[in-house]
Structures are given as C-alpha cells and as structure tokens.
C-alpha cells in the first residue's frame, strides 16, 4: 500500500493514472480459456476480424470524438497513448475521420498466429516488460508468465420461481444482486406498483443493506474466506429485512455491515449473446476508468487498466470510503473486487434472460431493476430497459434518480427522509430474452453505440 499512499495516508494519483496503476491484464487469457473450453471455430479465425478492424481503421463517431477530447488528460499518461489515439500532429480525431491502430493490429496478429501465450511470454510480453521498465511500472516478465485465468463456480438463488445465476467473487456484484433479490422476495412489488414511492423506498432500503455488506465482507477467494453462502441465503435475507422500516429512510450510520474502494468508474463494457444452438454468453469486463490508466504499451497499441485503485489501500484509516476493508486489501498476486454482474436467469430450467451492464457500482442495481421489471412487473424488454432507473448506495446516502419519475412519488420519498439527487443516465443494460424459440433483444439507448444484431440464420426480434 505504501507505494500508492502519501505520508498522510492519502491515495496518490499513481494508483489511478500511469504505469503503476495497472494490474496484470487478464482479458486475453480469459478469452483464450473460454475458447479452449467451449470454442468451435479455430482460434485464428476468431481473432482475425479484430486485427483487420485495427489495421483498416474505424470511422470515428461523434461519441468517440468527444470521449477522446475529454480523455486527453488521462491519455497523456504515455506518449504511446497520444500516438495511438491522436493524429501525428497531436490534434484530435474528428467525427468522420478514420482511426487506424497499426500497433494494435500487430499485437492481434501475434495473438491470432502465435496464440494467447505470446501476450504473456512471447514478443508482446517482451515489449510490455520493456515499457514497464522504461516508465517505472511494476509488472515484470514473471508476473505476465505466471498469470492464469480462473474458472469459478457461479452462484445462484431462486426468485419467484426463476433461477438467477451470476458471478461469484472476486466480483462483489453477484452476491449483492442475489442478496437483494432474496430480501425483495418477501414484498409484493407487483401490487405495490412499478416505481411507486412505496416500491422505491423498499428497494432503496434493501440496496443500502446489500451495498453495506458488499463493501465489508468480500475479497479475492484465493486470499480470503468469503461468507458467500451466508450472504445469499434466504435466512440471512429474512434477518436483514426484519428491522426494515416501511415509513422512514435509514441513515447510513444506522446500517451495520455484515462483518470501502475508491469511487468506481462507470466506464465498463458488457455484451450479451444467444445463438441458434442455445449457447448463452453474459460477459462484463473493464479497464476501470475511461481509457483505464491512460497508458498504451509502446509498440503494442494495448491500453492498460487502472484497477489498482479498486483495492483497499488504507485499511487502517477509520471511515475511509470503500478503502478500509481488509478483505480487499492490496497484495501481490491478488485480484481486486469489482461490481461486474453478468447474469443469466433461467425459467423452467431453460435460459430466459441474459443481462449485464457497465456502470461501476451502479451495475448491480441496473441488473436488479431489469430483472424486477420483467419478472415482477410483466414488462417486455424494451419497457424494462427504457424505464427510468434509480441507484442507492450505502455511502453516500443520496437516492440517485434519472429523469422521468413521478413528481408526487418523489415528494413522498422526500417526506420519508430520502435525499433525492437527479443525475444523468444510470447503467447501459444489454439484455436478451428467450421465449418460445424466439430471441428478443433490447439495447439500452442510454449510451451511444449500443445495438442488437443477428448473424447468419439466428433470428432476433427487437422487443417492442
């Protein structure tokens, strides 16, 4: 921890930006493991289209142009990042320009022809280590060579006859999702009404309880014993809601966690897939902040994460927000906590919903509301996706809402003690529903670039 704290114990910028902020990249190893276990097409055939896109370039959208403009401060963490994402004269790419990434194309070509191991032990790894050594980074050749993707058993609960299956630690998202579903099952949300004041109040209180637990009681299962089965049990849910008030909002200090991480960025990626053969994928992955650490590894085009900031760095500082959990204390070889919540809901033993979202700590509540909208409120996917969302953390205490809620309901919530804060969009759920042989899709309009696509003879119907 001392590498990332100043003399007063405050987190320094090197945990957020620059070469020291990056954990060992796992995406290449993870996708390779998935391919080895479940892939059908040859590895090179799977990777080659990405290499071609990088080599030929992409047309810059308005959203990407704007993102590069406001992301420049972070990307200035490395000269290679500026070279990769800005024009040779240093000016930004504009809408309609073509952005070519030849270094990234070289890396993807190596991965396609030499396999994922080249990223961790081959020529790509050599460039990676040289860049770290030249810029004071921490990741070494043994760190890369020793990295292994992990297969872990998913966790699940039953909610109103549906089986909800999701991600275990080192993500905290799945545990919190199942805990909230178990608590909410004892309330008749359908009768209470969608986004009514009473429903929002109960959900807000349940969110506080689960978010308090996730911050204090989880870490990398290779390092700590997570009380997962206790947290996702029906008995624990009953205990947790026994003192819940239907009339007043509970202040954070009144909630004791089961036993906190710096503010999580909301810039994560999620995609959901279903195919004609019945294969289902719900995948969430992240660099952390927008453009991660702002570092591109020289000669590779690879943009690095800034996940060091998601460890607990100040475990001995009382009251430190999301940074004083010993379960998530930083350690060599350890995986940091995240909020990723890729989820599959089964009905009668068959896949029914495939869902996930970006959004940092808001991911969990976004996935929760999609499930509730479909299961409790009988919405189709478009209705479930477009409906206004809200987010309640344990700390801070504000009930964050999107625009579009009933003013009278908000007034009632205010009288109950909720501190209402209107914010921009929450999450970007990418959801598939499978029913009677049909595949329905609803991309979230909250972020540019979302879409639904059918490939080959897979039939997709847009939910309406």
């Amino acid at each position: 921890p001392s590498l990332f704290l100043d003399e007063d114990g405050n987190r320094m910028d090197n945990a957020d930006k620059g070469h020291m902020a990056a954990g060992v990249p796992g995406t290449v190893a993870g996708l390779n493991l998935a391919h080895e276990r479940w892939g059908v097409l040859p590895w090179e055939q799977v990777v080659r289209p990405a290499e071609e896109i990088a080599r030929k370039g992409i047309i810059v959208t308005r959203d990407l142009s704007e993102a590069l403009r406001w992301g420049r401060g972070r990307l200035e963490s490395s000269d290679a990042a500026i070279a990769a994402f800005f024009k040779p004269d240093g000016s930004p790419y504009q809408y309609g320009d073509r952005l070519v990434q030849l270094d990234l194309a070289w890396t993807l070509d190596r991965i396609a022809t030499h396999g994922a191991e080249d990223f961790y032990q081959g020529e790509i790894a050599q460039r990676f280590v040289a860049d770290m050594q030249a810029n004071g980074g921490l990741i070494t050749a043994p760190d890369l060579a020793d990295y292994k993707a992990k297969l872990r058993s998913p966790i699940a609960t039953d909610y109103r006859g549906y089986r909800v299956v999701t991600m275990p630690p080192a993500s905290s998202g799945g545990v919190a999702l199942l805990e909230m579903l178990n608590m909410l099952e004892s309330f008749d949300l359908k009768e209470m009404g969608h986004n009514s004041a009473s429903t929002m109040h109960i959900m807000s209180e349940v969110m506080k309880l689960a978010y308090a637990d996730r911050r204090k009681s989880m870490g990398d299962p290779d390092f700590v014993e997570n009380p997962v089965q206790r947290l996702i049990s029906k008995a624990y849910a009953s205990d947790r809601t026994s003192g819940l008030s239907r009339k007043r909002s509970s202040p954070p200090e009144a909630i004791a966690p089961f036993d906190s991480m710096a503010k999580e960025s909301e810039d994560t990626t999620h995609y959901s897939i279903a195919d004609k053969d019945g294969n289902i994928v719900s995948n969430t992955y992240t660099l952390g902040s927008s453009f991660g650490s702002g570092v591109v590894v020289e000669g590779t085009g690879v943009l690095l994460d800034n996940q060091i900031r998601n460890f607990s760095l100040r475990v001995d500082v009382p009251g430190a927000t999301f940074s004083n959990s010993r379960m998530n204390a930083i350690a060599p070889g350890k995986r940091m906590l995240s909020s990723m919540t890729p989820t599959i809901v089964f009905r009668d033993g068959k896949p029914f919903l495939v869902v996930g979202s970006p959004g940092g700590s808001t991911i969990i509540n976004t996935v929760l509301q999609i499930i509730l909208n479909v299961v409790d409120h009988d919405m189709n996917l478009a209705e479930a996706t477009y409906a206004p969302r809200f987010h309640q953390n344990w700390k801070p205490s504000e009930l964050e809402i999107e625009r579009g809620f009933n003013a009278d309901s908000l007034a009632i919530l205010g009288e109950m003690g909720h501190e209402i804060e209107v914010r921009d969009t929450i999450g970007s759920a990418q959801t598939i529903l499978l029913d009677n042989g049909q595949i329905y899709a609803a991309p979230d309009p909250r972020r540019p670039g979302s879409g639904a696509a059918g490939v080959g003879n897979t039939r997709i119907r847009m939910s309406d």
Side-chain angles (χ1 to χ4, degrees), residues 179-205:
E179 184 181 342
M180 289 190 289
L181 287 170
N182 286 337
M183 287 190 281
L184 290 169
E185 196 170 31
S186 61
F187 299 93
D188 191 345
L189 301 182
K190 182 177 179 64
E191 177 65 25
M192 292 162 62
H194 177 256
N195 280 351
S196 66
S198 56
T199 295
M200 292 178 68
H201 168 69
I202 291 298
M203 289 177 61
S204 170
E205 295 298 286

Side-chain angles (χ1 to χ4, degrees), residues 196-415:
S196 66
S198 56
T199 295
M200 292 178 68
H201 168 69
I202 291 298
M203 289 177 61
S204 170
E205 295 298 286
V206 163
M207 289 171 180
K208 291 176 190 175
L209 294 169
Y211 272 64
D213 286 345
R214 72 182 274 269
R215 287 194 177 187
K216 289 290 189 177
S217 59
M218 281 175 275
D220 184 345
D222 289 341
F223 285 73
V224 297
E225 189 70 29
N226 291 285
V228 172
Q229 294 308 313
R230 173 62 174 156
L231 289 170
I232 67 174
S233 70
K234 300 290 186 181
Y236 182 69
S238 178
D239 291 343
R240 225 36 182 129
T241 56
S242 61
L244 190 151
S245 171
R246 285 179 172 265
K247 296 182 178 180
R248 293 297 302 171
S249 171
S250 302
E253 57 271 16
I255 297 174
F258 181 81
D259 161 341
S260 232
M261 231 157 84
K263 176 177 170 56
E264 296 170 272
S265 171
E266 299 184 6
D267 302 286
T268 294
T269 300
H270 179 88
Y271 55 80
S272 299
I273 298 173
D275 73 8
K276 61 183 176 60
D277 297 318
N279 298 300
I280 301 295
V281 176
S282 179
N283 186 28
T284 312
Y285 67 104
T286 187
L287 284 175
S289 299
S290 289
F291 304 110
S293 61
V295 169
V296 166
V297 176
E298 185 72 41
T300 70
V302 174
L303 188 61
L304 296 182
D305 65 270
N306 65 339
Q307 289 294 298
I308 291 297
R309 71 199 298 272
N310 269 20
F311 277 117
S312 299
L313 299 174
R314 298 189 296 165
V315 297
D316 296 318
V317 180
T321 301
F322 216 175
S323 60
N324 59 349
S325 168
R326 292 192 176 275
M327 301 282 279
N328 188 41
I330 191 170
K334 190 175 183 180
R335 285 167 164 81
M336 64 293 294
L337 275 184
S338 76
S339 297
M340 296 185 288
T341 317
T343 300
I344 300 174
V345 180
F346 292 80
R347 183 177 67 180
D348 300 327
K350 298 179 180 179
F352 174 64
L353 278 179
V354 190
V355 61
S357 176
S361 64
T362 70
I363 289 173
I364 314 164
N365 287 334
T366 296
V367 173
L368 173 71
Q369 287 169 84
I370 293 290
I371 294 172
L372 297 181
N373 288 351
V374 173
V375 172
D376 287 272
H377 302 295
D378 301 321
M379 295 184 183
N380 65 41
L381 275 195
E383 293 172 322
T385 302
Y386 299 166
R389 296 185 191 131
F390 60 95
H391 171 68
Q392 177 70 66
N393 215 321
W394 175 39
K395 298 177 182 178
S397 60
E398 292 82 8
L399 176 60
E400 300 178 0
I401 66 167
E402 295 179 332
R403 291 171 176 81
F405 285 89
N406 181 279
D408 292 336
S409 295
L410 297 181
I412 294 172
L413 288 168
E415 293 171 358

Side-chain angles (χ1 to χ4, degrees), residues 27 38 107 122 255 262 274 340 393 425:
T27 299
W38 300 285
T107 297
I255 297 174
M340 296 185 288
N393 215 321
T425 57

Side-chain angles (χ1 to χ4, degrees), residues 4-22:
F4 305 98
L5 301 175
D6 63 21
E7 59 185 15
D8 296 321
N10 297 312
R11 194 190 73 185
M12 297 188 294
D13 286 344
N14 65 352
D16 179 52
K17 294 191 294 185
H19 285 73
M20 290 182 66

Side-chain angles (χ1 to χ4, degrees), residues 56 86 100 176 275 292 323 441:
K56 295 178 180 178
F86 290 83
V100 175
D275 73 8
S323 60

